[in-house]
Every structure is written in C-alpha cells, then in structure tokens.
Amino acid sequence: EAQVTQNPRYLITVTGKKLTVTCSQNMNHEYMSWYRQDPGLGLRQIYYSMNVEVTDKGDVPEGYKVSRKEKRNFPLILESPSPNQTSLYFCASSLSGTVRTEAFFGQGTRLTVV
Amino acid sequence: KQEVTQIPAALSVPEGENLVLNCSFTDSAIYNLQWFRQDPGKGLTSLLLIQSSQREQTSGRLNASLDKSSGRSTLYIAASQPGDSATYLCAVYNYGQNFVFGPGTRLSVLP
C-alpha cells in the first residue's frame, strides 16, 4: 500500500531534550516536506526537500532541522524543543517538486513539549 | 507572499443539500491547487487535484473548479451526507516549490 508513515504518532517530551520524528514514504517520491498545524494558524510548511541531499526552508523553519540522506526518509529533528513547538506535525510527499503531482500526507505526530 | 483564504470558516447544513466551499489565493503563479479533507485528529486525505492549466476536476459527488486568473477555486459537494462532516482544506503549490494552505472550512452535515 502506498503511504507516508510517521513515527511516533504521539510524543510528550521535556524542554531541551532532543527528539526526532521520522517520516518514510514507499512511493519513490522525490519531494518531501514537513508541516505544523496549530489552531487559528492552519498548516505551515517547516522544511521541504526536492530530492536527496537537497533541502530548503519553508515558512517556519526556526528550531527545526531536517536531513535527506535517502530518498524514502525525511526525519524532522528538534535539537532543543521548547513549549512553543507543541503542535500537530505532518509529513508529506509527492512524485516531484517540478512535475505537478498530488501530495500524500502522513497521519500526523502530536507533539507536546512541557 | 502567497496567501490563501477560505470562506466560510464553518458551515452547517442538513443532509441532502448541495453546498459550495470557496478558496481564494493572492498569487496566480501556481503549479496546481489541491483540496483535502481532514477528520478530527487525523491526517489529510486528498480529494481533488487541479493543475494550473485545468478548469475543473470531478470525483463522485465532488467537483472542484479553478479560475487561476482571479485566484479562486470552489469545491462543490452534491447531496451532502453526514459522513462528509470534516474540515476541508485547499492548498496551492507555488512556483517557489512550497505548499500554502488555507485555514479550512469546518463542515457539519446534520442527519
């Protein structure tokens, strides 16, 4: 089954403790991206990647890192999480960043930073 | 900077009604526009994708239109059902290689 898989689905952590949210897709997609969703602010893009080893900042990149060492994986790293990063996070992929294709989303990761 | 708005913010209709959700965007330099459905606490499910060169797309009871020059898209839902209750999001894929989402329309279809 074609899908985007995020782990974990739920995470509670403390301020300053480094964490990684994993994202994997099995569709051989080139384009992957991360979003956060907050009440009243909607979905905002954090980082995106056009292909392996190519990443770029979205609208709200501060406090986040990403890497794209393999085509299928695009982990989101919070080096020193803070309470304002409490949010619902989504990973997405599409076939290509330049060809006009449909985006597929993971089920989300609900992160709480206390 | 691209901005996407959706009207109305919330909508409640009785079962069986036809309804229209609206999406507006400020920059017409887009590759495509995509409509999604999101159920509470869940991920996004793609409903329809309209390429910038297209005027509309249909899938079952759903029809989406795109007027790129005026920066508008509509999602038409025919014969609504309680199972259609969800938040509907539109997103544009910019030439700048990023997706920009609207805030969503929360739809409730009453039995």
Side-chain angles (χ1 to χ4, degrees):
Chain A
E1 180 188 354
Q3 60 186 3
V4 178
T5 303
Q6 295 178 227
N7 279 298
R9 292 289 312 280
Y10 302 91
L11 179 59
I12 301 174
T13 191
V14 297
T15 298
K17 185 176 180 181
K18 181 179 178 179
L19 66 92
T20 299
V21 184
T22 63
C23 174
S24 180
Q25 49 91 6
N26 62 359
M27 296 168 278
N28 202 35
H29 284 173
E30 291 183 348
Y31 184 93
M32 298 185 75
S33 56
W34 276 102
Y35 301 83
R36 61 178 289 174
Q37 187 176 33
D38 302 289
L41 297 175
L43 273 147
R44 295 175 293 169
Q45 192 172 47
I46 303 171
Y47 269 95
Y48 63 93
S49 170
M50 297 287 284
N51 213 326
V52 176
E53 301 292 1
V54 180
T55 63
D56 212 341
K57 296 177 180 178
D59 293 325
V60 288
E62 294 79 19
Y64 304 94
K65 283 176 57 178
V66 293
S67 68
R68 189 89 182 276
K69 294 185 171 59
E70 307 165 280
K71 200 172 192 179
R72 64 182 291 124
N73 296 322
F74 190 45
L76 179 70
I77 303 158
L78 284 72
E79 295 271 4
S80 182
S82 62
N84 64 13
Q85 293 179 297
T86 293
S87 187
L88 179 58
Y89 291 86
F90 290 102
C91 177
S93 74
S94 57
L95 183 61
S96 167
T98 51
V99 176
R100 305 146 197 186
T101 58
E102 183 179 5
F104 295 85
F105 280 72
Q107 287 301 298
T109 295
R110 186 167 294 280
L111 172 65
T112 302
V113 183
V114 298
Chain B
K1 182 183 174 183
Q2 178 77 271
E3 291 184 5
V4 180
T5 55
Q6 291 185 244
I7 294 173
L11 181 62
S12 185
V13 299
E15 182 177 4
E17 282 211 355
N18 303 324
L19 58 98
V20 175
L21 308 181
N22 296 289
C23 173
S24 298
F25 49 96
T26 56
D27 186 348
S28 61
I30 64 170
Y31 282 123
N32 59 48
L33 183 145
Q34 197 165 351
W35 283 93
F36 295 89
R37 166 189 174 134
Q38 185 177 25
D39 294 284
K42 301 286 182 63
L44 279 68
T45 301
S46 178
L47 298 173
L48 288 164
L49 171 71
I50 310 178
Q51 304 292 359
S52 60
S53 59
Q54 297 176 319
R55 297 287 291 183
E56 66 178 298
Q57 282 286 336
T58 298
S59 176
R61 294 182 294 108
L62 305 179
N63 175 277
S65 68
L66 175 64
D67 184 343
K68 200 174 91 160
S69 60
S70 67
R72 293 179 188 169
S73 176
T74 61
L75 179 67
Y76 175 82
I77 303 177
S80 57
Q81 304 170 357
D84 294 330
S85 298
T87 296
Y88 290 80
L89 299 160
C90 70
V92 296
Y93 185 33
N94 287 330
Y95 284 0
Q97 316 299 349
N98 65 319
F99 280 99
V100 179
F101 282 83
T105 293
R106 191 169 65 253
L107 173 65
S108 296
V109 181
L110 307 174

